[in-house]
Amino acid sequence: MDHTSAVARGIDPNQAHPARRYNYWLGGKDNFAADRASGDELERLFPKVRLGALANRDLLCRATRHLTAEVGIRQFLDIGTGLPTADNTHEVAQRHAPDSRVVYVDNDPMVMAHAQALLNSSAEGRTAYIEADLNDPEAILAHPVLHDTLDLKQPVGLMLIAVLHFIHGHGAAEPIVSRLLDAMPSGSHLVATHATSDFGTPEQQALYQRLVEQGKSDVWTRTRDEFAGLFDGLELVAPGVVPASEWHPDQGAVIPARSDINVWAAVGRKP
C-alpha cells in the first residue's frame, strides 16, 4: 500500500504502528518507513527484540496446533491480529481441523485493508474480521460478526499474542482478560504472550524505564508474577508460564537464551 492509498483509508504512514512494526520484524512488506525506523531504533536499543517477535509467531503456531489437534477446539477469537503473514491462526487451525472458525480483531485500519488475506478460509470453516480495540472488550463481545461466526456456548481459543503489553498500567490488563473469559464457557483456553524485562541486564531495565517515563515506549512490560496473574482461575497447561520458545518446542528446536527472547507465554484452560 502506498502513502496516498494509506491516507485515503485514514492511515497515517508517518506514525509508526506496533502491528506494522511487528510485520517488519517478521519479514513482511506491509509497513512504512516510519515503522521500519521505529523497529530499527528499538533493535538498536534492544538488539534481540526481533527474536522475541519471531518467538511470538512460532508460539502462536504451536499453541493453535495444540488446541486444534490435541484439545479439539474448533473456534478462535484472535485479538491484536496484526497484519497477515505466514501461518495466521486460521491457516494453522484449518490445517489440522478444516472446520475451524476464527474471528480476528485489530484496531489498525491497515489490517482491515489487508483483511481479505485473513478471510481466505477453508470451505468447511469460516473466518471473519472486526475492527475494534482490546481496550473495549464490551464492543468486541457485542459485535454481531462475533456472534454470527462463533458459538460462545462452545469452547473458544482466546488468542492474545503480543498484545497485552500495549495495555499500560499496573492491574490494567486483568479486568480486560477477565471480561473476555467471562463470556466464554468451560473448556475455553487463553493463549497469551507478553513482553518482559525479567531477563534484561540492570542497564537494559534502566533504559527501558527511562523510555517509559519519557513516553517513548508503547510497550508496558510485566513480570512473571504479573503475567501469571492474568491466568488466575484457569488451569495452566504444562509447562505453565515459561519463555515463549520453551512452551512445547518442536522436536529438535534450538532453544535460545531467555535473555534473547524476553517474552513470557502460557496457555490456560477455563474449568
Side-chain angles (χ1 to χ4, degrees):
M1 180 182 294
D2 59 26
H3 278 225
T4 301
S5 299
V7 171
R9 291 178 177 270
I11 300 166
D12 183 357
N14 298 311
Q15 179 66 44
H17 189 282
R20 300 193 298 269
R21 184 175 62 216
Y22 188 61
N23 175 265
Y24 169 57
W25 283 335
L26 293 177
K29 299 179 180 179
D30 296 316
N31 47 75
F32 298 111
D35 307 306
R36 296 189 289 274
S38 172
D40 289 343
E41 176 62 12
L42 279 174
E43 201 163 5
R44 182 185 69 81
L45 296 172
F46 304 100
K48 303 295 185 179
V49 68
R50 191 183 296 254
L51 291 178
L54 294 170
N56 268 304
R57 173 57 55 164
D58 291 344
L59 181 282
L60 180 148
C61 295
R62 298 195 307 276
T64 302
R65 182 178 66 207
H66 171 81
L67 293 186
T68 51
E70 299 183 37
V71 179
I73 284 181
R74 294 294 180 266
Q75 47 183 11
F76 296 83
L77 176 58
D78 184 334
I79 304 177
T81 304
L83 288 151
T85 183
D87 285 333
N88 299 295
T89 300
H90 76 281
E91 293 171 323
V92 178
Q94 292 177 355
R95 190 177 302 147
H96 298 279
D99 59 337
S100 296
R101 290 165 286 154
V102 179
V103 172
Y104 291 105
V105 180
D106 205 284
N107 67 351
D108 182 1
M110 192 163 170
V111 178
M112 173 63 91
H114 290 268
Q116 189 58 45
L118 296 173
L119 302 179
N120 187 23
S121 172
S122 66
E124 301 92 333
R126 288 188 64 187
T127 60
Y129 179 79
I130 299 171
E131 188 168 339
D133 196 302
L134 177 60
N135 284 289
D136 189 358
E138 296 297 340
I140 296 171
L141 293 172
H143 203 288
V145 168
L146 175 67
H147 296 277
D148 184 54
T149 310
L150 305 185
D151 178 2
L152 296 187
K153 295 179 181 178
Q154 299 297 321
V156 176
L158 174 59
M159 315 296 286
L160 298 176
I161 303 295
V163 66
L164 289 168
H165 48 233
F166 297 115
I167 306 296
H168 285 215
H170 296 291
E174 285 88 337
I176 294 173
V177 174
S178 178
R179 178 65 189 97
L180 291 167
L181 287 170
D182 282 347
M184 298 175 185
S186 173
S188 295
H189 283 63
L190 168 63
V191 179
T193 65
H194 202 295
T196 186
S197 297
D198 286 356
F199 307 120
T201 64
E203 293 77 15
Q204 289 172 326
Q205 292 174 345
L207 172 59
Y208 166 73
Q209 192 58 43
R210 287 198 301 273
L211 292 174
V212 171
E213 292 170 355
Q214 295 168 5
K216 295 181 179 179
S217 174
D218 53 16
V219 170
W220 182 278
T221 63
R222 289 182 170 87
T223 65
R224 184 190 187 282
D225 287 346
E226 289 173 319
F227 176 65
L230 300 172
F231 289 80
D232 283 352
L234 303 182
E235 300 166 348
L236 284 174
V237 175
V241 176
V242 293
S245 55
E246 296 178 26
W247 195 91
H248 290 229
D250 291 328
Q251 187 173 7
V254 176
I255 307 300
R258 292 184 168 191
S259 57
D260 287 349
I261 300 301
N262 294 302
V263 175
W264 287 117
V267 177
R269 178 187 182 276
K270 183 175 179 178

